[in-house]
Amino acid sequence: HLLIFCVTALSDATITTKVNAALAADEQLRVLQIDVDTQAGHVTMTGPAPDEDARERATALAQAVTGVVSVDNRLEVVKGSG
């Protein structure tokens, strides 16, 4: 069971890294402080977003990462955050 846990944890860390890289590559999203957490392939994003379009784009970028099972986008639209 420990081996499975380690593989899952490694995969989650890899997914988190890839989602962060995708967000950092986006011109509008890279300036935001988005916190990404992954558990068993389920990605949760928290932090500010300048508008609904940026929020939706963050979801799309995260969903495009291999290994992502679901995305819980908890970004809050805050004027002046972008």
Side-chain angles (χ1 to χ4, degrees):
H1 297 292
L2 182 60
L3 178 61
I4 293 171
F5 173 76
C6 290
V7 170
T8 300
L10 180 61
S11 296
D12 286 344
T14 301
I15 290 169
T16 298
T17 299
K18 289 182 178 183
V19 170
N20 279 323
L23 296 173
D26 185 275
E27 192 169 308
Q28 186 177 5
L29 298 177
R30 77 175 69 173
V31 299
L32 303 178
Q33 297 295 321
I34 298 175
D35 181 51
V36 178
D37 183 51
T38 308
Q39 293 185 350
H42 300 276
V43 174
T44 302
M45 296 185 296
T46 55
D51 54 44
E52 191 61 34
D53 287 342
R55 189 177 181 281
E56 290 174 13
R57 192 164 58 257
T59 298
L61 289 171
Q63 287 174 331
V65 171
T66 301
V68 171
V69 174
S70 69
V71 176
D72 181 9
N73 186 333
R74 297 183 185 177
L75 299 181
E76 295 182 36
V77 176
V78 179
K79 290 185 179 184
S81 64

